[in-house]
Amino acid sequence: MLWRRSRARAAARARRATERAADHIDERLPLYESGGLLRKAFPDHWSFLLGEIALYSFIVLLLTGIWLTLFFHPSMTEVVYHGSYRPLNGVRMSEAYESTLDISFDVRGGLLIRQLHHWAALVFLAAIGLHLLRIFFTGAFRRPREVNWLIGVTLFLLALAEGFAGYSLPDDLLSGTGLRIAQGIMLSIPLVGTYVSFFAFGGEFPGQDLIPRLYALHILLLPGLLLALISVHLILVFYLKHTQWAGRGRTNRNAVGKPMVPHFTASSGGLTFMVFGVLTWLSGVAQINPIWAYGPYRADVVSTGSQPDWYVGFLEGSLRLVPPWETSVAGHTVMWNVLLPAVVLPGLLFAVLYAYPFAERWATGDSAEHHLCDRPRDRPVRTGLGVAALSCYGVLLAAGGNDVLADTFALSVNALTWVFRIAFVLLPPLAFMVTRRVCAALRERDQERLVEGEETGEVRQTIEGGYVESHEPLDEERRYVLRSYGFGVEEVGDAEGVEEPASSGDELGRRPSR
């Protein structure tokens, strides 16, 4: 009995000490307020994982990048190679290229980490691109998330620059060819192109300053900007709450899903290890960027069949498709065949991406808040525009490898180039029209399912001798979703007696509309 009393007194003292410590911390930090965040609801759908994959790939990039900085020498000073890769022994090369060879062949685990870094960069950019597409096609960029859309587009732009900077650091023949193209793009800018090129390269191409400057951008400025914008992006996701698909109990005034702790944290932690594992597996079995096969960069040599990474492949294709148009004005030559595809086209692309949320709000007159995701079929114009843009990107990406395609399939490069030029003009409007028709057909099909029910596959003969197919009614959940999307019923929820999830199920977080 005495033992039980002493144990109860000890527990009470420990509880009071914990409360005092918590009060002490709360006086200096918002401890009690942040406790509510632990129960914040996160909707559960596979398409919402794309942003998480991008985040975890970025973490892999940071970890592997820190390791690589310990061994990489960002210098263009010329040296003679005497290392483990014997085919290049005695060859003159830059210190940057030599150190990359040393990482690949002489540092324990170096090749694995190099390839892990490269694969993570590709997955990072792909995940951001797919995440932006998901947001675009579901309308998750609308009020009040316009700022988060702008941040996402900026993140994609910075990730492109970060990928190109890292791709160029080894100073091999393939990356040097890309830098040569980049210099041509700089020179195509009217009036200031020469000055831009001289500033970037520190003089005539290739100069001695570019690799150190790219290195500073790659490990300091661009990662710092990415980290800051990712932090702001996540804060806004917390503040504005996540979008969700329509369903019973889900309205524009709440968020239904897993609570942050422990459910979302556990599933997100599992996804983290899956991303790490898949990237490591890829790095071990799939070779990427074998710089030793290309050799060191020489300004008078271009490797056969050289192709950039996929995320800048559309620029390569656009450069190959524009005819050799030039104009001379007052002694200055304007190279339209470089300026239009490599400067004007990317500028227009990102200008449209930045302006689209505001342009759609102006065109539709819809300035209300939206927390429920659209189905792409319910917004045929937006979906058609997105598919048309994707068809443009696909044509340009394929055109970037027109020489490889022509050699592989024994075709004429000139004929293939003209096919891509025609496709670039005709395919986008065709894709837009077909997509609108497909969206309309899918909506008609949804209406039939709502009225007639789901087909069972059973056919019976009527007394008149005809044949009819039997149907069975849709379940209540599917009828609710179709009515919400198909007939514009945005919020049925509690008005129809929908029961909110209790603590035993998914967490329902509420936040009033502003």
Side-chain angles (χ1 to χ4, degrees), residues 186-220:
M186 296 176 192
L187 292 175
S188 72
I189 303 174
L191 300 179
V192 298
T194 305
Y195 301 100
V196 172
S197 175
F198 265 66
F199 173 78
F201 291 92
E204 291 287 349
F205 179 86
Q208 295 291 321
D209 299 334
L210 184 63
I211 295 300
R213 290 176 179 179
L214 287 177
Y215 185 68
L217 288 174
H218 186 68
I219 70 169
L220 290 176

Side-chain angles (χ1 to χ4, degrees), residues 313-374:
F314 76 100
L315 283 179
E316 177 81 9
S318 62
L319 284 167
R320 298 188 184 196
L321 291 188
V322 178
W325 294 334
E326 294 181 356
T327 302
S328 295
V329 179
H332 296 277
T333 300
V334 180
M335 301 181 296
W336 299 108
N337 57 325
V338 180
L339 180 66
L340 289 178
V343 179
V344 177
L345 177 64
L348 286 176
L349 168 65
F350 281 96
V352 169
L353 289 175
Y354 280 117
Y356 188 84
F358 311 100
E360 181 177 290
R361 184 173 64 185
W362 172 80
T364 61
D366 182 6
S367 59
E369 285 194 9
H370 294 276
H371 301 285
L372 294 178
C373 295
D374 289 333

Side-chain angles (χ1 to χ4, degrees), residues 440-450 453-455:
L442 289 174
R443 283 180 56 81
E444 291 176 4
R445 173 61 182 150
D446 285 342
Q447 186 173 356
E448 291 178 2
R449 290 172 60 203
L450 187 61
E454 194 72 64
E455 297 176 354

Side-chain angles (χ1 to χ4, degrees), residues 244-306:
Q244 59 187 344
W245 294 98
R248 296 183 66 81
R250 301 172 184 175
T251 73
N252 265 325
R253 297 190 302 269
N254 66 8
V256 180
K258 297 178 180 178
M260 182 175 177
V261 177
H263 300 85
F264 177 77
T265 304
S267 61
S268 186
L271 180 62
T272 304
F273 290 116
M274 289 177 63
V275 171
F276 279 43
V278 170
L279 288 175
T280 305
W281 175 78
L282 274 175
S283 306
V285 302
Q287 179 177 272
I288 189 170
N289 197 25
I291 59 153
W292 55 89
Y294 309 137
Y297 179 66
R298 285 179 49 186
D300 59 338
V301 177
V302 176
S303 59
T304 303
S306 59

Side-chain angles (χ1 to χ4, degrees), residues 380-500:
V381 174
R382 181 203 299 153
T383 305
L385 291 173
V387 173
L390 288 176
S391 67
C392 282
Y393 174 82
V395 170
L396 294 178
L397 185 63
N402 61 351
D403 54 340
V404 177
L405 293 174
D407 180 66
T408 302
F409 298 102
L411 301 172
S412 166
V413 174
N414 291 332
L416 196 59
T417 300
W418 273 105
V419 169
F420 284 130
R421 286 172 178 170
I422 296 172
F424 182 75
V425 175
L426 297 182
L427 189 59
L430 180 62
F432 176 79
M433 292 185 291
V434 171
T435 301
R436 287 193 64 184
R437 284 299 308 146
V438 170
C439 290
L442 289 174
R443 283 180 56 81
E444 291 176 4
R445 173 61 182 150
D446 285 342
Q447 186 173 356
E448 291 178 2
R449 290 172 60 203
L450 187 61
V451 175
E452 301 176 2
E454 194 72 64
E455 297 176 354
T456 62
E458 298 178 0
V459 179
R460 57 187 178 83
Q461 187 175 17
T462 64
I463 57 176
E464 292 83 6
Y467 292 92
V468 295
E469 187 174 19
S470 59
H471 296 76
E472 59 182 12
L474 298 177
D475 59 73
E476 193 61 31
E477 175 67 20
R478 296 174 70 186
R479 287 178 60 85
Y480 179 90
V481 171
L482 287 179
R483 287 162 60 189
S484 297
Y485 283 127
F487 296 95
V489 181
E490 294 182 358
E491 301 177 10
V492 182
D494 301 333
E496 293 191 357
V498 175
E499 193 171 331
E500 298 179 2

Side-chain angles (χ1 to χ4, degrees), residues 79-90:
V79 297
V80 178
Y81 179 70
H82 296 288
S84 300
Y85 189 67
R86 293 190 176 182
L88 289 177
N89 271 338

